[in-house]
Amino acid sequence: MSLNFLTQTFLIILLVLLPTHFSYVKSDAALIDKACKSTPNYKKCVSIINTDPGASKADITGLAIIALNAVDTKSHAVMDFLYSQEPKTPALKHAFSSCYDNYYAIINADVLQGYQALQKGQPMIAQTSMNDAGNEANSCEHEFKGKSPMTSYNTDVHDTAAIASALTQLLL
């Protein structure tokens, strides 16, 4: 009889708490959905946000930080690519050197300023930093004058920075 009572009690608790849990998860998914719809690339935004295990508990600032982290991670991948290259012509050497400077600025200025601004509750500065990061990626692309071996990298960083910028816009 006591086992039956425990089973019934457990089921009652489960039935009371389970809907609460699912509504909590649903509301977080709704926040991500709504926030990403305000960005230039909904699908990419959702993909970036959902790669972070803390995304389901994040507020808008947290979502912006997740996107900022993605800009940082992708920019480091670009730097790894740049280090691995051995340009064969002076023009390519110049382009890669300029790109190195662009991505160094993204990592050591734009991303850093973005983090600091979000921590201080200054989303306009964070947004400007992410816009700058996108511009740096575009500048790198233009160095190759139409024959860039870095188009996919530059586009990815630019688009991710645009998403981070749009998410910080929601904080204004």
Side-chain angles (χ1 to χ4, degrees), residues 114-160:
Y115 281 132
Q116 291 170 345
L118 288 172
Q119 289 171 347
K120 294 177 182 176
Q122 300 171 325
M124 187 175 289
I125 294 171
Q127 183 181 32
T128 300
S129 294
M130 288 301 91
N131 290 339
D132 288 347
N135 291 337
E136 294 283 355
N138 282 343
S139 292
C140 172
E141 186 65 22
H142 294 302
E143 286 294 328
F144 292 95
K145 299 177 182 17
K147 297 181 181 183
S148 174
M150 297 186 56
T151 299
S152 63
Y153 287 112
N154 291 325
T155 301
D156 192 27
V157 171
H158 173 272
D159 293 352
T160 304

Side-chain angles (χ1 to χ4, degrees), residues 3 12-13 18 27 32 42 49 63 89 115 119 123 140 157 163 165 171:
L3 182 61
I12 290 170
I13 291 172
L18 201 56
S27 68
I32 292 168
Y42 171 80
I49 297 301
L63 298 180
T89 66
Y115 281 132
Q119 289 171 347
C140 172
V157 171
I163 289 167
S165 175
L171 297 167

Side-chain angles (χ1 to χ4, degrees), residues 75 78-79 82 94-110 132-144 150 154 157:
S75 296
V78 173
M79 291 294 268
L82 289 169
H94 173 76
F96 278 111
S97 177
S98 293
C99 287
Y100 174 87
D101 292 341
N102 294 129
Y103 280 93
Y104 184 88
I106 291 171
I107 294 166
N108 295 297
D110 299 326
D132 288 347
N135 291 337
E136 294 283 355
N138 282 343
S139 292
C140 172
E141 186 65 22
H142 294 302
E143 286 294 328
F144 292 95
M150 297 186 56
N154 291 325
V157 171

Side-chain angles (χ1 to χ4, degrees), residues 33-91:
D33 183 62
K34 183 177 179 183
C36 286
K37 283 182 178 172
S38 74
T39 70
N41 189 332
Y42 171 80
K43 188 175 178 181
K44 186 176 186 82
C45 175
V46 170
S47 175
I48 289 167
I49 297 301
N50 284 332
T51 60
D52 190 291
S56 65
K57 295 179 180 91
D59 58 4
I60 296 295
T61 301
L63 298 180
I65 289 171
I66 291 168
L68 196 92
N69 286 339
V71 172
D72 187 45
T73 300
K74 292 170 187 291
S75 296
H76 276 92
V78 173
M79 291 294 268
D80 291 343
F81 175 78
L82 289 169
Y83 286 134
S84 73
Q85 298 304 297
E86 294 181 23
K88 297 186 181 3
T89 66

